[in-house]
Amino acid sequence: MPAEKSDALVLFGATGDLAHKKLFDTIQALYRRGVLEGPVIGVAKSGMTREQVIDRAREGITTFGRGVDEGVFKKFADQFQYVDGDYADPATFQNLKKALGDAKRPLFYLAIPPVLFGTVTKGLKAAGCLNDDARVVVEKPFGHDAASAKALNRTLHEVLEEHQVFRIDHYLGKEATQNVLYTRFANAFLEPVWNRNYISNIQITMAESFGVQGRGAFYDATGCLRDVIENHLMQVVGFLCMEPPYWPDKERVRDEQVKLFKSIRTISTNDIVRGQFEGYLQEPGVAPNSQTETFAAVRVFIDNWRWQGVPIYIRAGKNLPVSATEVRVQFHRPPQVVFPDEQAPMHNYVRFLFSPRIEIGICMQVKIDGERMVGEPMELKVVDQQPDEMTPYERLIGDAIQGDQALFARQDVVEEGWRIVEKIIGNSVPVHPYKPGTWGPDAVNDVLLPSGGWHAPQV
Ligand code: BG6
């Protein structure tokens, strides 16, 4: 039986950056699609009035979102309530309880620093706001290592069951990520070759052509590995490499994800290169002698029957030449040189471009017209679309409202994710400088060079 929809959305951190830039825009879109019907209640300690928070929401949607839709915004504003108060003060939660009225299945969205998760969930419990049908969405970062993630999980589980906890990773809400899973298992011809016998290596590049954009203090305490590799890109590895899930029960996707993660070898310090762009130390909020990486490249191995010996290269960073995320699944060369031009670089691959467009391409070497048996690589583009109008946040919060956890990170997946990177987080290896606008430090090519070389995303 499908879960019942949440009938109120409570936004902790309602005057914060995430709410301002993303969440109110998402809320407007959810009202527009009829997914969200009940009231939204904002909670924060800002000293602002209800009207000021509504004005700020309007400003955020105008500046960072998709523009105010007056009719829909009015629906939101008419029902919106705001509770101003300290999260450590029981009175805040009593006021929230009153604001919730007779809502039976509230969804609490914690867009607040993780150190406050425990205070808030206990405050909710003590005030009687948490019944069995309540749901709680928590923002990343979910811990900063395996121990802190476990501690955070224990804290949440003091008052919540796992089926009530929705750990958001917006990469799971991307159309492109779901395309990977779909393409693999909706076609019979791919699976027989999707293994060590045919695949030489996999490359994942997540490049951003901008720096830390005023988030220096957050970024300096986090670094590239924790910011995007341990979570977003490892989730992508999961979809690329898992065994076929039994779909009618969507929980089986997360079972396959954790099974795969358990077979991923803990990454060793020989399999990481860290870089920092020149100029990073001058960013506001960054420690003057910071060793935090703004670029990382890692090599990952999966110790299972399907993937044994196939390296997965992942690189991500700020201030790289382009903004694009791409996965390239590279096939082996043919076993024998039949035609002389076969010494050319390896051209058989499947390419998933996640951004700035969504593309799936399959590349083959084909013969050039003429007498000679020489060829050229030709890519068949099987998907070429603009990103969906529905943003990942919209998709995921919509799922949470409907009680669907399939695209949220389960506790065991999060803990395995941290185990995989436990030896390489922090200042495990030296950080090399690189010039903004380049593909990271030279050391990447000395230490972590895929056979056939790194490929820049095709944008
Ligand atoms: C966030 C990171 O989780 O993901 C940011 O904190 C990063 O540093 C962002 O820029 C990238 O998301 P997307 O969807 O633009 O690839």
Side-chain angles (χ1 to χ4, degrees):
M1 200 180 67
E4 285 195 85
K5 260 166 89 165
S6 300
D7 53 5
L9 173 62
V10 179
L11 180 55
F12 282 86
T15 57
D17 214 39
L18 186 69
H20 187 51
K21 291 187 175 150
K22 280 217 162 100
L23 299 180
F24 283 115
D25 183 62
T26 304
I27 285 168
Q28 175 179 266
L30 290 169
Y31 270 121
R32 186 172 17 221
R33 284 199 292 117
V35 175
L36 178 60
E37 289 168 308
V40 175
I41 305 165
V43 189
K45 189 185 175 207
S46 68
M48 289 165 82
T49 63
R50 184 188 99 92
E51 285 63 33
Q52 285 170 326
V53 179
I54 292 175
D55 286 347
R56 189 170 149 81
R58 173 183 280 282
E59 198 267 314
I61 297 173
T62 310
T63 312
F64 301 102
R66 290 160 284 180
V68 171
D69 177 333
E70 290 301 341
V72 181
F73 191 82
K74 184 170 181 318
K75 184 171 178 187
F76 151 75
D78 286 349
Q79 299 188 71
F80 182 72
Q81 301 181 64
Y82 177 61
V83 175
D84 194 80
D86 196 304
Y87 300 150
D89 182 356
T92 306
F93 296 92
Q94 292 303 339
N95 292 338
L96 173 59
K97 172 89 177 139
K98 268 187 235 135
L100 276 168
D102 55 9
K104 292 186 183 58
R105 293 175 301 281
L107 175 71
F108 299 98
Y109 196 111
L110 309 192
I112 52 175
V115 287
L116 296 173
F117 288 173
T119 312
V120 167
T121 50
K122 281 179 198 143
L124 288 172
K125 181 77 179 174
C129 298
L130 278 188
N131 58 28
D132 284 352
D133 293 322
R135 298 171 182 136
V136 176
V137 178
V138 293
E139 262 298 329
K140 68 167 269 238
F142 200 79
H144 53 269
D145 57 16
S148 57
K150 281 186 186 150
L152 211 48
N153 278 324
R154 273 196 300 274
T155 303
L156 292 175
H157 286 154
E158 279 175 31
V159 292
L160 295 162
E161 300 290 332
E162 180 63 18
H163 74 265
Q164 298 179 286
V165 182
F166 293 71
R167 297 174 193 80
I168 227 167
D169 181 323
H170 79 281
Y171 260 62
L172 286 173
K174 282 184 186 259
E175 184 66 20
T177 312
Q178 289 154 41
N179 252 337
V180 171
L181 195 66
Y182 190 87
T183 309
R184 281 190 58 200
F185 297 125
N187 297 292
F189 74 93
L190 271 182
E191 267 314 286
V193 297
W194 211 252
N195 56 51
R196 64 190 307 276
N197 297 325
Y198 292 89
I199 291 175
S200 144
N201 66 73
I202 298 177
Q203 282 183 35
I204 304 176
T205 298
M206 177 183 177
E208 293 179 312
S209 61
F210 47 85
V212 293
Q213 296 185 309
R215 297 158 77 217
F218 160 78
Y219 199 86
D220 206 37
T222 308
C224 176
L225 200 65
R226 289 185 170 108
D227 189 36
V228 298
I229 295 183
E230 181 275 337
N231 38 43
H232 302 332
L233 299 182
M234 288 309 295
Q235 295 288 357
V236 173
V237 171
F239 276 20
L240 271 171
C241 300
M242 67 165 62
E243 295 302 313
Y246 173 67
W247 187 256
D249 178 354
K250 289 211 235 152
E251 194 58 29
R252 299 289 84 84
V253 176
R254 303 202 297 175
D255 289 348
E256 291 302 336
Q257 190 86 322
V258 78
K259 208 169 93 194
L260 194 265
F261 274 30
K262 282 188 174 165
S263 56
I264 297 181
R265 204 182 296 167
T266 303
I267 303 171
S268 97
T269 49
N270 295 326
D271 287 321
I272 175 166
V273 172
R274 297 194 313 132
Q276 187 185 80
F277 66 79
E278 290 172 9
Y280 174 72
L281 297 180
Q282 282 75 56
E283 293 280 344
V286 169
N289 55 354
S290 170
Q291 298 289 299
T292 298
E293 77 282 352
T294 60
F295 171 96
V298 297
R299 182 167 38 208
V300 176
F301 289 99
I302 303 175
D303 289 323
N304 69 12
W305 192 273
R306 187 193 282 261
W307 294 112
Q308 187 61 243
V310 179
I312 301 175
Y313 295 89
I314 305 177
R315 63 176 172 172
K318 303 280 186 196
N319 270 333
L320 301 190
V322 292
S323 283
T325 298
E326 188 174 80
V327 171
R328 184 175 161 123
V329 179
Q330 180 72 56
F331 290 92
H332 289 301
R333 290 170 178 284
Q336 204 189 351
V337 177
V338 179
F339 308 110
D341 69 329
E342 264 189 23
Q343 293 309 329
M346 303 194 289
H347 287 305
N348 281 167
Y349 61 78
V350 177
R351 188 174 64 80
F352 298 91
L353 181 68
F354 280 47
S355 66
R357 300 178 308 284
I358 301 177
E359 276 180 13
I360 301 178
I362 300 177
C363 189
M364 292 166 67
Q365 184 80 2
V366 293
K367 186 178 170 304
I368 297 173
D369 196 16
E371 287 172 9
R372 293 171 55 222
M373 292 297 271
V374 293
E376 63 181 348
M378 193 66 82
E379 192 176 287
L380 173 69
K381 230 170 251 170
V382 288
V383 173
D384 187 354
Q385 18 173 269
Q386 288 307 312
D388 200 38
E389 203 202 308
M390 201 194 317
T391 64
Y393 267 92
E394 210 175 311
R395 165 77 205 253
L396 292 173
I397 300 176
D399 281 4
I401 288 173
Q402 292 170 98
D404 183 348
Q405 286 186 309
L407 295 177
F408 290 84
R410 204 169 63 190
Q411 171 182 355
D412 48 3
V413 175
V414 169
E415 291 180 5
E416 278 301 318
W418 283 118
R419 192 269 305 154
I420 292 166
V421 297
E422 69 189 1
K423 289 192 185 146
I424 55 165
I425 45 181
N427 299 331
S428 55
V429 294
V431 67
H432 303 274
Y434 64 95
K435 294 213 177 313
T438 66
W439 285 106
D442 294 340
V444 176
N445 292 326
D446 302 336
V447 184
L448 288 184
L449 190 63
S451 86
W454 284 99
H455 293 276
Q458 294 180 29
V459 287

